[in-house]
Amino acid sequence: MQNDNLKQEKPAAHKGRPREFDTEEALDKALHVFWRKGYEGTSLSDLTDAMGISRPSLYAAFGNKEELFRLALDRYAEHGPGAIQRQALSEPTARRVVERLLRGVAETLTDPCNPRGCLAVQGALSCGEAAEQVKAELCSRRSKSEAALAERFERAKQEGDLGKAVDPAALARFVVTITQGMSVQAAGGASRTDLLAVADMALLAWPSSA
Amino acid sequence: MQNDNLKQEKPAAHKGRPREFDTEEALDKALHVFWRKGYEGTSLSDLTDAMGISRPSLYAAFGNKEELFRLALDRYAEHGPGAIQRQALSEPTARRVVERLLRGVAETLTDPCNPRGCLAVQGALSCGEAAEQVKAELCSRRSKSEAALAERFERAKQEGDLGKAVDPAALARFVVTITQGMSVQAAGGASRTDLLAVADMALLAWPSSA
DNA sequence: GAATTTCTGTACCAATAGGTATGAAAATGC
DNA sequence: GCATTTTCATACCTATTGGTACAGAAATTC
């Protein structure tokens, strides 16, 4: 585990034959396939075709189908639409957090460059035994998102930004439920305008509107 | 096509060897498997095991996997949780329609006797080519549900039961989005209490609250 | 009872699933 | 230049997929 990249020029200078494809690029292709077809609906051939690499290359670089999915999911959460949540959480008030979250979700779910809907929702909502672990992973990630939002509301409550009667966990669940519903709507072909209208309507329920 | 069941005693009295299993019962088993695993996640073996019949019997009685799914979906819509919508639509006011719909959905989605979530949502949200038609069918059914609700709101508007400024289609989309989000929540393990709280919170956004 | 009709079980089908063995090809360090 | 190391492409593996052919069994009708 010694740190041997002393000269930081070029990635590293590996020993053997260098990889002929860009890992990030290939992962991005894989992400899009999973996103569009779901975990079970995506075959190895779908993946290798889209990534432009051979099957053994895929296994050498990414492990197997499930590990590849997890890597794609990580990428989705960091560089893709999953990043909205993080951005939203940094807004100054709870209300602004929700506004940004709902509108941001409405927009990214209907981004014409991407498949419709959310990978964390459609990736494996229900599935056979073979995909149970993937399904569990997605459930866990959704729960974590929800928990992070609840925590943010908790803080807002302490800051006096949210009424004392508000239940942060329940409010977070409500907001997340809307985003998940929007994901289903997007998968069904709802337009950006449609989803933004849903977001606005949800904001009417905001506790501090009184 | 002559109507020859003159004596209505017993189903009909077929000619050849009678079927050894009850069609409705077998269909119900199939419904539960599809419900739990989704269309793609369900294999023919899963189905025959659960239904307790052989593969040729399944094909003889139900056509093929896709037709069986459609039949199961019909059953779901008529006798299963899909019936809530119909019940809710008959409530006297728009507000009561939504109340009954949201609470009813919250309850059935978490019915301990059934798989968590909604077949029309999880059946095939994203999938491979082989299931595209099933996915389209589910989308279409969800759209029809939404349209029926919009129509109910339109009527409510004419009856003066809903403000003139309200957009029936948008309101219907909002309500349906909540139910779809609840389906994702239920699939993720949310409790009945959790979902009822979501339903109540959604009702706070009701237009006539002003 | 014979003929007919329909169902059931076994055994099978081609296609595809996810995953690998193997040897050639291309880069490195010495 | 040579050995080493790693990647690549072809070709293959077993298990499972959705779907059937076929023969025997069980019921109805005449």
Side-chain angles (χ1 to χ4, degrees):
Chain A
M1 282 296 174
Q2 72 258 23
N3 181 3
D4 45 6
N5 296 7
L6 291 181
K7 35 183 175 179
Q8 297 113 337
E9 49 175 83
K10 291 294 168 70
H14 280 313
K15 275 181 290 190
R17 174 176 175 177
R19 189 166 276 146
E20 286 179 4
F21 61 94
D22 179 43
T23 309
E24 295 295 307
E25 218 170 287
L27 185 54
D28 201 59
K29 300 285 189 187
L31 165 59
H32 271 72
V33 180
F34 279 131
W35 198 346
R36 186 156 45 88
K37 300 189 170 187
Y39 180 74
E40 274 184 333
T42 300
S43 74
L44 262 293
S45 302
D46 291 333
L47 291 167
T48 52
D49 286 355
M51 300 164 88
I53 66 178
S54 72
R55 209 167 277 228
S57 296
L58 187 155
Y59 278 82
F62 303 103
N64 60 16
K65 188 186 176 186
E66 187 172 332
E67 284 186 52
L68 175 57
F69 181 83
R70 288 187 140 86
L71 290 169
L73 192 55
D74 286 339
R75 186 178 175 82
Y76 178 82
E78 280 172 42
H79 307 296
I84 304 166
Q85 163 124 7
R86 246 178 315 145
Q87 295 165 15
L89 286 179
S90 65
E91 289 285 334
T93 70
R95 160 92 194 192
R96 297 263 309 264
V97 168
V98 176
E99 266 181 36
R100 174 131 181 219
L101 181 62
L102 290 182
R103 297 206 174 115
V105 165
E107 278 169 15
T108 54
L109 287 181
T110 55
D111 182 343
C113 301
N114 290 330
R116 296 307 174 85
C118 169
L119 179 62
V121 171
Q122 357 233 7
L125 197 50
S126 33
C127 59
E129 286 87 1
E132 277 297 335
Q133 287 200 298
V134 169
K135 176 185 162 190
E137 168 79 21
L138 291 183
C139 282
S140 156
R141 297 222 185 191
R142 294 198 303 265
S143 289
K144 278 184 190 139
S145 272
E146 192 178 304
L149 195 59
E151 209 171 317
R152 179 68 185 79
F153 289 155
E154 184 70 59
R155 200 186 91 200
K157 212 172 146 184
Q158 282 166 8
E159 290 170 348
D161 167 30
L162 211 51
K164 302 205 171 181
V166 174
D167 176 352
L171 186 57
R173 171 146 23 235
F174 175 69
V175 172
V176 167
T177 301
I178 306 268
T179 65
Q180 290 167 350
M182 289 200 289
S183 176
V184 177
Q185 285 280 319
S191 73
R192 178 166 292 187
T193 314
D194 291 337
L195 293 194
L196 284 172
V198 169
D200 287 341
M201 206 164 270
L203 288 166
L204 291 178
W206 193 250
S208 67
S209 72
Chain B
M1 282 295 174
Q2 71 258 23
N3 180 2
D4 45 6
N5 297 5
L6 292 183
K7 36 184 176 177
Q8 297 114 334
E9 49 175 83
K10 290 295 169 72
H14 280 313
K15 275 182 288 190
R17 173 176 174 178
R19 188 165 276 145
E20 283 179 4
F21 61 94
D22 179 42
T23 310
E24 294 296 307
E25 214 170 289
L27 185 54
D28 200 60
K29 300 286 188 185
L31 165 59
H32 272 73
V33 180
F34 279 130
W35 197 347
R36 185 156 46 89
K37 300 189 170 187
Y39 180 75
E40 273 184 333
T42 300
S43 73
L44 262 294
S45 301
D46 291 334
L47 290 167
T48 52
D49 286 355
M51 300 164 86
I53 66 179
S54 73
R55 208 167 276 226
S57 296
L58 187 155
Y59 277 83
F62 303 102
N64 61 15
K65 188 186 175 185
E66 187 172 332
E67 285 185 52
L68 175 57
F69 181 83
R70 288 187 140 86
L71 291 169
L73 192 55
D74 286 338
R75 186 179 175 80
Y76 178 82
E78 280 173 42
H79 307 296
I84 303 166
Q85 162 124 8
R86 246 178 316 146
Q87 296 166 14
L89 286 179
S90 65
E91 289 285 332
T93 70
R95 160 91 193 193
R96 297 260 313 262
V97 168
V98 176
E99 268 182 33
R100 174 132 182 217
L101 181 62
L102 290 182
R103 297 205 175 117
V105 166
E107 278 170 15
T108 53
L109 287 181
T110 54
D111 183 342
C113 300
N114 290 331
R116 297 305 175 86
C118 170
L119 180 62
V121 171
Q122 356 233 7
L125 197 49
S126 30
C127 59
E129 287 86 2
E132 277 297 335
Q133 288 200 298
V134 169
K135 176 186 162 189
E137 167 80 20
L138 291 183
C139 282
S140 157
R141 297 221 185 192
R142 293 197 302 264
S143 289
K144 276 184 192 140
S145 271
E146 191 178 304
L149 195 58
E151 209 171 315
R152 179 67 185 80
F153 290 155
E154 185 70 59
R155 200 186 89 200
K157 212 171 146 183
Q158 283 166 7
E159 290 171 348
D161 167 31
L162 212 50
K164 301 205 170 179
V166 174
D167 177 354
L171 186 57
R173 170 143 30 232
F174 174 69
V175 172
V176 167
T177 301
I178 305 267
T179 64
Q180 291 168 348
M182 289 201 288
S183 175
V184 177
Q185 285 280 320
S191 74
R192 178 166 293 187
T193 314
D194 291 337
L195 294 193
L196 284 171
V198 169
D200 287 341
M201 206 164 270
L203 288 166
L204 290 178
W206 193 250
S208 67
S209 71

